[in-house]
Amino acid sequence: VSHGSGDEFQYLYNQFNVTVQKLNVLIEEVYEQKYRVQLSELRQLQSQINPHFLYNSFFSMQAMVRLGDLGGIEKYTRFLGEYFQYVTRNGQTEVPLANEVHHAAVYTEIQNIRFRDRIETRIEEIPPAYADFSVPRLILQPLVENAFKYGLENKKAGGQLVIGFQADASGLRIIVEDNGESV
């Protein structure tokens, strides 16, 4: 706000402008701090994924060895390698949605091997306009993991998991749905 004359109102206008500038700096600092806290929480969640999943992976491989399922072990370890390659990349905090969905697909393949014919998964095609859209890395896989853990883990047969996409004027909605009994 400006005032043309050099009277006491000019002083008030100047102080008001200084206050507005300071408020803008404080707002920016609070925004950056919230962003850093959210990023830190996301990284913490990402680091928690590895140990539990790693242990289950070794137990699954041990069971396949006991059964003599060498083809299954080969397929399983290929998916595990791809999975861990993706989760251990420390440099990228955001990735294209197509990469994140591919990672979720690899995760579902690992779980399908683990659960044997008890669960079917279907991943719909991403609307092409959103394939390169940047999303936080490892944002989708924990949702899929929860569907397996809380919705499908106790299904003896007929488990279904669907990852779908709905685009509309407001953006893209990603839907992770299962037919498990738990909520």
Side-chain angles (χ1 to χ4, degrees):
V1 177
S2 63
H3 182 66
S5 65
D7 59 6
E8 54 274 348
F9 286 110
Q10 178 66 42
Y11 175 77
L12 289 173
Y13 282 98
N14 287 343
Q15 291 306 312
F16 175 78
N17 289 335
V18 167
T19 302
V20 168
Q21 287 175 344
K22 287 181 181 179
L23 279 173
N24 285 336
V25 167
L26 288 173
I27 289 169
E28 182 69 24
E29 287 175 357
V30 167
Y31 173 78
E32 286 184 23
Q33 181 180 7
K34 283 185 177 182
Y35 175 76
R36 284 192 293 266
V37 166
Q38 288 175 342
L39 186 60
S40 175
E41 289 172 352
L42 179 62
R43 287 189 176 151
Q44 176 68 22
L45 284 173
Q46 290 170 347
S47 70
Q48 289 175 359
I49 292 169
N50 293 336
H52 175 72
F53 185 73
L54 182 62
Y55 302 144
N56 283 341
S57 298
F58 283 127
F59 293 134
S60 294
M61 283 189 290
Q62 181 184 25
M64 284 188 270
V65 167
R66 267 194 309 240
L67 295 171
D69 185 5
L70 298 180
I73 291 173
E74 179 182 358
K75 184 177 175 184
Y76 192 71
T77 56
R78 184 178 73 244
F79 286 130
L80 280 176
E82 195 171 334
Y83 171 87
F84 282 111
Q85 184 179 30
Y86 188 84
V87 298
T88 58
R89 290 184 190 145
N90 293 327
Q92 295 176 303
T93 57
E94 291 191 351
V95 296
L97 178 59
N99 291 11
E100 187 65 12
V101 171
H102 176 74
H103 173 69
V106 167
Y107 179 80
T108 62
E109 288 294 334
I110 291 168
Q111 294 294 43
N112 286 338
I113 292 170
R114 180 176 163 230
F115 286 100
R116 304 264 176 200
D117 298 315
R118 299 181 344 193
I119 298 169
E120 291 181 24
T121 59
R122 180 172 50 94
I123 301 176
E124 296 176 359
E125 196 169 317
I126 304 168
Y130 292 96
D132 291 328
F133 187 76
S134 288
V135 297
R137 189 170 66 90
L138 294 175
I139 194 78
L140 183 56
Q141 186 251 316
L143 299 175
V144 175
E145 183 176 358
N146 282 343
F148 275 101
K149 184 174 181 179
Y150 298 109
L152 299 170
E153 191 168 56
N154 294 326
K155 292 285 268 186
K156 300 297 180 204
Q160 294 180 352
L161 173 71
V162 177
I163 301 172
F165 305 93
Q166 289 180 349
D168 59 29
S170 65
L172 179 70
R173 183 171 294 130
I174 301 172
I175 301 163
V176 177
E177 234 175 351
D178 67 72
N179 68 341
E181 285 92 38
S182 298
V183 285

